[in-house]
Amino acid sequence: MVMTGCNGAKYVEDGDYLLTAVSVNCDNPHINISSLEPYIRQHPNSKWLSVIKAPLGLYSASGRDTTKWINRTLRSWGEKPVVYDSVLSAKTSEDLAVAMQNKGFLDAKVRPVLCVKGKRAKVQYNISANEPYIVRNVKYVIEDNVVDSILRANNQLLNIRSGQMFSINELNDERKRITDYLSDNGYFQFNKEFIHFDIDSSHVNHTVDMTMYLDRYRRNSYQELSDHPIYVVRSVNFSGNEESGFRIRKKVLEQNCFITPGKPYSNKDLQMTYNRFSRLHAIKYTNIHYDEDQSAKALDCNIQISPQKTHSLQFQPEGTNTAGDFGAAASLVYQNRNLFNGSELLNISARGAFETIRGLEGYQSHSYQEYGVEASLNFPRYLLPGLSRAFHRKSSATSELLVSYNWQNRPEFHRRVFAATWRYKWSNPLYHSQYKVDVLDINFISMPWISETFKHDYLDSVSNRNAILRYNYEDLLIMKIGLGYTWNHKGHSLRLNLESAGNLLSALARPLAFQKNEDGKYKAIGIAFAQYVKADFDYCRLIDFDSRNALALHARLGIAYPYGNSTILPFEKRYFSGGGNSVRGWGVRELGPGSYTGKDGRIDFINQTGDIKIDLSMEMRSALFWKFQGAIFVDAGNIWTIRNYKDQPGGQFKLATFWQQMAVAYGVGIRLNFDYFLIRLDMGMKAVNPVYNSGREHYPFIHPKFSRDKAFHFAVGLPF
């Protein structure tokens, strides 16, 4: 494909030119060139990873006989050569000139330069910005006296001042700002067409005089001019609430409706009502219509709701792959979207799974069975006593109660987990933020049976006793609280999570005379409880180069500290490294902590865990052909322990040396994107290995060995 891409002019006719490059150059260094790129009408053929013109190569590799399947396939997967078009080039020059004029450079000139070599051509648009224009005088002519007093009383609405750089974009912003303000304060019929500007640029020294006109109101050409009318909401009516046996309490509808009788019309209230109704699980869509009474300057608001299907039942078969052990699972999910006629969402799911486990010796069974049931109830509001109606209207929170029971039978042990959570969630669209508070999260972990073989080999043997392993095969109680924050905006994504467990139980231990177990740990309801604090920071940045290529940057830092009633973190709360979402040159739980070397493959999944985690990744993503996407990546990171555990030598975090234990990997990936889900296969290679006996093993990037350094990862979804 690379070689045929070099022959991309194969299907370019004589007299035409293959467009190979387009660039924009401006003599004013303060102009942001990237802001002008959207005005380019014609771009060269796309590239894989912004380097290789493989789509053009695929097309060029096809034969001329389109009756053959292979030729049609190559052309559909590839990309037709982009032939230079002088008409599009001229339109691009015009658009760039207009864009510069909108920035205030009214005398800007654009000169396209065509460079031809053989059957290939490059175009460069050279922009001479010349001097920007400055606003000399500003005048406002507002014929409606009431509107005039409103706007002049608010300095932020009339924001253009003498002495600032002239910009058409600033004029449009002011036009929108005034329209939005008036539309939110009763002016139901007002729109931006009532505002226009007169610009006089005939003065010397690159200055302009600006006059803004705000015309009086006229409904149509037959009506006389008048002041702009202010409309008041007279009534709010709901319909569709009794259709097909569907019913939602009127109080719930009123709490989510911001349109209030007696208040002036507000477009902001209208949009907020649409947003709040879209959050109600019981409602499919909403249509809001105003009936206008011109004589009374009143509006009757009619809100028509269309209900969702209240009940649903889904069956979901699955294929499972746990560290290479394949199996099958199935889930049955029931949903009720209007349980108490208040748009409450009830989810009840039952799941069963079966896997055959390889590599086990000395056990009666070689299969893994899991059964679980989970019920969650979501309320579209805060459930707290004493909250006012006004508070409920302002908040966009949900309350969730979740209860689950999980039943696991492995050849080595049986495990039961009961969990109950009460949490609140809310969002702030203005700041692109979401929040989560786990008021109470309780987990009971019970180990009712452990095989004698497993006890003898790992738990009771004096010569092979592992404290970390033993701790994680005892009954345990985790009672925690947590805080979560998520921010997403313009390619940036930030997630912060903080949780703390065991503090309340620890405070009650002495006053209530809790008993202790044989290790001296307090027990609540007969079970030792965990005590720790844990914090996670996760940041991702996506930089789009064009519609087909992007660079993704990712950083994650996590730290957890056991204290008080715990010296070891519960297994579920410990960090691991390696795998498809971490340092991809290693398999899952094959890296770390620090320079620790695994000794027993059957229990290394316990020992290769830690209290601190660092992950750094850089991935170049590119659309290839059809639904295939590709990636090249570099990952770095590791895990460490805070304490020096004798079962994890070399695993403790030390500020002076941790950077020497950072593992580095590189690799390539292929993804199949079906929009609603993505399947990926990544191949990682070790580049820097913190576990080594020689220099060749320390730097496999310099001394690669495919059989030793490779790791394949099959997964669903992007790594970050």
Side-chain angles (χ1 to χ4, degrees):
M1 288 186 293
V2 173
M3 296 189 67
T4 53
C6 296
N7 190 28
K10 173 182 176 181
Y11 287 107
V12 177
E13 301 294 335
D14 292 339
D16 290 335
Y17 303 101
L18 176 68
L19 185 62
T20 58
V22 176
S23 60
V24 178
N25 181 50
C26 184
D27 59 5
N28 188 326
H30 301 292
I31 298 297
N32 183 5
I33 298 298
S34 62
S35 67
L36 299 174
E37 291 177 355
Y39 299 97
I40 298 175
R41 297 286 191 108
Q42 194 177 33
H43 294 272
N45 288 97
S46 60
K47 301 176 182 179
W48 286 4
L49 306 172
S50 296
V51 176
I52 307 170
K53 289 187 177 180
L56 175 61
L58 281 171
Y59 190 95
S60 300
S62 67
R64 297 185 181 274
D65 186 358
T66 56
T67 61
K68 294 183 178 180
W69 172 84
I70 184 61
N71 293 334
R72 295 197 306 271
T73 302
L74 287 172
R75 292 194 178 197
S76 64
W77 286 359
E79 192 176 79
K80 189 177 181 180
V82 176
V83 177
Y84 168 74
D85 189 327
S86 59
V87 175
L88 293 178
S89 178
K91 290 182 177 180
T92 297
S93 299
E94 295 173 3
D95 292 346
L96 289 172
V98 171
M100 291 296 296
Q101 291 165 10
N102 289 342
K103 292 177 180 291
F105 297 88
L106 301 184
D107 295 333
K109 305 295 181 184
V110 180
R111 184 173 63 90
V113 176
L114 179 66
C115 180
V116 176
K117 186 176 181 180
K119 298 190 71 173
R120 290 169 169 78
K122 299 180 181 180
V123 182
Q124 178 172 290
Y125 297 95
N126 295 323
I127 301 176
S128 299
N130 295 315
E131 291 296 321
Y133 277 69
I134 305 300
V135 176
R136 188 178 70 166
N137 296 313
V138 182
K139 183 179 180 182
Y140 294 96
V141 179
I142 303 174
E143 300 178 357
D144 186 317
N145 293 329
V146 176
V147 173
D148 182 72
S149 61
I150 291 174
L151 298 183
R152 294 187 186 278
N154 192 332
N155 293 329
Q156 294 181 349
L157 295 177
L158 304 178
N159 204 29
I160 299 178
R161 300 286 185 266
S162 298
Q164 74 179 56
M165 183 174 168
F166 172 75
S167 170
I168 299 294
N169 296 330
E170 288 291 334
L171 302 187
N172 291 331
D173 290 343
E174 180 138 319
R175 196 183 189 196
K176 182 179 184 302
R177 190 164 50 245
I178 293 172
T179 302
D180 290 345
Y181 183 84
L182 294 178
S183 296
D184 289 338
N185 288 274
Y187 289 89
F188 176 67
Q189 292 290 354
F190 193 87
N191 61 69
K192 64 181 182 180
E193 301 304 323
F194 288 105
I195 303 173
H196 58 94
F197 296 90
D198 181 27
I199 307 299
D200 183 1
S201 59
S202 60
H203 305 284
V204 296
N205 298 326
H206 291 84
T207 60
V208 299
D209 290 341
M210 188 204 81
T211 303
M212 189 196 83
Y213 293 93
L214 196 153
D215 300 333
R216 298 183 74 194
Y217 175 72
R218 180 156 59 184
R219 192 178 187 90
N220 51 55
S221 58
Y222 305 103
Q223 191 180 53
E224 293 184 359
L225 292 172
S226 64
D227 288 344
H228 289 272
I230 297 177
Y231 283 81
V232 175
V233 177
R234 182 165 57 189
S235 64
V236 177
N237 306 299
F238 299 97
S239 61
N241 196 19
E242 303 293 339
E243 294 181 3
S244 304
F246 171 82
R247 184 180 181 276
I248 189 169
R249 295 194 305 275
K250 189 175 181 180
K251 180 181 178 182
V252 175
L253 298 176
E254 291 174 345
Q255 283 182 346
N256 288 277
C257 178
F258 290 84
I259 304 168
T260 307
K263 284 183 59 178
Y265 165 80
S266 170
N267 185 63
K268 181 180 178 180
D269 290 346
L270 172 64
Q271 298 306 319
M272 289 178 65
T273 301
Y274 269 120
N275 291 337
R276 290 293 286 271
F277 272 68
S278 68
R279 294 175 54 249
L280 298 179
H281 301 289
I283 296 177
K284 188 175 183 179
Y285 63 84
T286 307
N287 182 34
I288 303 177
H289 173 71
Y290 288 97
D291 290 332
E292 177 185 357
D293 186 341
Q294 295 184 42
S295 59
K297 299 297 185 289
L299 298 172
D300 295 315
C301 178
N302 299 304
I303 302 179
Q304 182 180 8
I305 59 176
S306 177
Q308 286 273 22
K309 187 178 180 181
T310 302
H311 305 277
S312 67
L313 188 66
Q314 293 181 336
F315 176 75
Q316 301 172 346
E318 307 172 34
T320 63
N321 177 5
T322 306
D325 295 329
F326 292 92
S331 300
L332 190 65
V333 182
Y334 165 76
Q335 276 193 342
N336 186 321
R337 297 181 177 88
N338 194 30
L339 183 63
F340 303 123
N341 295 328
S343 193
E344 299 87 1
L345 177 64
L346 172 67
N347 265 300
I348 300 176
S349 63
R351 183 178 186 272
F354 177 87
E355 285 183 353
T356 299
I357 302 175
R358 301 172 300 167
L360 286 180
E361 297 179 3
Y363 294 91
Q364 294 181 355
S365 172
H366 291 81
S367 65
Y368 166 71
Q369 300 175 51
E370 178 183 357
Y371 303 97
V373 60
E374 180 180 293
S376 66
L377 183 57
N378 185 290
F379 299 86
R381 57 193 175 278
Y382 272 120
L383 283 186
L384 281 175
L387 297 180
S388 65
R389 182 175 182 270
F391 181 86
H392 280 295
R393 285 170 56 85
K394 291 179 181 179
S395 68
S396 59
T398 61
S399 307
E400 184 179 24
L401 173 64
L402 187 146
V403 180
S404 66
Y405 182 76
N406 190 262
W407 185 92
Q408 303 171 9
N409 279 2
R410 288 183 60 92
E412 311 98 315
F413 57 83
H414 292 174
R415 190 168 184 259
R416 310 288 182 259
V417 181
F418 171 80
T421 304
W422 180 254
R423 68 165 56 104
Y424 296 110
K425 295 179 181 179
W426 70 96
S427 61
N428 189 334
L430 183 63
Y431 294 100
H432 316 283
S433 302
Q434 294 178 327
Y435 307 86
K436 180 188 72 171
V437 175
D438 289 337
V439 179
L440 187 63
D441 190 329
I442 301 175
N443 286 263
F444 295 95
I445 303 171
S446 172
M447 306 292 297
W449 176 83
I450 300 177
S451 75
E452 293 301 324
T453 303
F454 191 79
K455 284 183 180 181
H456 176 270
D457 290 346
Y458 301 110
L459 303 184
D460 297 337
S461 174
V462 176
S463 62
N464 195 29
R465 191 162 182 167
N466 186 308
I468 299 175
L469 187 68
R470 182 170 174 266
Y471 176 77
N472 285 282
Y473 286 91
E474 297 175 346
D475 294 348
L476 186 65
L477 169 63
I478 303 174
M479 190 170 79
K480 71 179 183 70
I481 59 174
L483 303 173
Y485 170 76
T486 303
W487 176 74
N488 286 283
H489 185 55
K490 293 184 177 179
H492 297 268
S493 175
L494 174 66
R495 291 196 301 270
L496 301 174
N497 287 285
L498 177 66
E499 65 180 69
S500 177
N503 293 327
L504 177 60
L505 294 175
S506 180
L508 296 175
R510 289 181 180 273
L512 298 182
F514 285 3
Q515 294 183 349
K516 294 184 177 181
N517 63 13
E518 59 183 13
D519 295 324
K521 305 301 182 184
Y522 284 109
K523 297 190 295 182
I525 59 173
I527 304 174
F529 61 86
Q531 190 172 6
Y532 64 88
V533 63
K534 183 179 182 181
D536 287 284
F537 166 89
D538 194 295
Y539 173 75
C540 185
R541 172 77 167 104
L542 188 65
I543 304 171
D544 289 318
F545 296 122
D546 52 48
S547 61
R548 301 176 66 95
N549 298 282
L551 177 66
L553 306 174
H554 177 247
R556 180 184 178 186
L557 171 64
I559 181 170
Y561 179 65
Y563 62 96
N565 210 49
S566 297
T567 56
I568 300 172
L569 280 173
F571 177 72
E572 291 81 359
K573 301 300 177 181
R574 295 175 70 83
Y575 298 106
F576 65 87
S577 193
N581 297 319
S582 185
V583 187
R584 283 167 278 186
W586 282 259
V588 179
R589 295 187 176 93
E590 290 183 355
L591 174 61
S595 58
Y596 169 79
T597 305
K599 299 177 181 178
D600 188 336
R602 293 171 293 180
I603 63 169
D604 281 339
F605 70 95
I606 286 287
N607 285 332
Q608 297 202 267
T609 57
D611 311 316
I612 298 173
K613 179 171 184 175
I614 297 177
D615 266 344
L616 303 171
S617 294
M618 179 172 62
E619 181 173 278
M620 184 70 180
R621 299 169 180 170
S622 181
L624 302 181
F625 56 87
W626 190 50
K627 297 185 180 296
F628 285 96
Q629 299 176 351
I632 57 175
F633 55 82
V634 177
D635 301 325
N638 206 334
I639 54 172
W640 295 265
T641 60
I642 292 179
R643 290 184 171 91
N644 186 18
Y645 300 109
K646 66 182 183 63
D647 298 309
Q648 296 173 301
Q652 187 180 22
F653 180 88
K654 296 181 180 179
L655 188 62
T657 60
F658 84 94
W659 59 273
Q660 297 174 350
Q661 298 173 333
M662 290 283 287
V664 181
Y666 63 97
V668 297
I670 187 77
R671 290 90 192 268
L672 194 56
N673 190 349
F674 293 101
D675 296 330
Y676 49 92
F677 77 98
L678 179 143
I679 300 174
R680 65 182 168 96
L681 177 63
D682 290 341
M683 185 196 73
M685 292 285 291
K686 297 178 179 66
V688 179
N689 191 348
V691 180
Y692 58 91
N693 294 315
S694 65
R696 298 180 69 89
E697 292 180 354
H698 190 193
Y699 298 105
F701 180 74
I702 302 175
H703 308 284
K705 184 178 180 181
F706 185 77
S707 60
R708 177 195 64 193
D709 301 332
K710 73 179 186 309
F712 289 96
H713 307 283
F714 179 78
V716 176
L718 291 170
F720 48 84

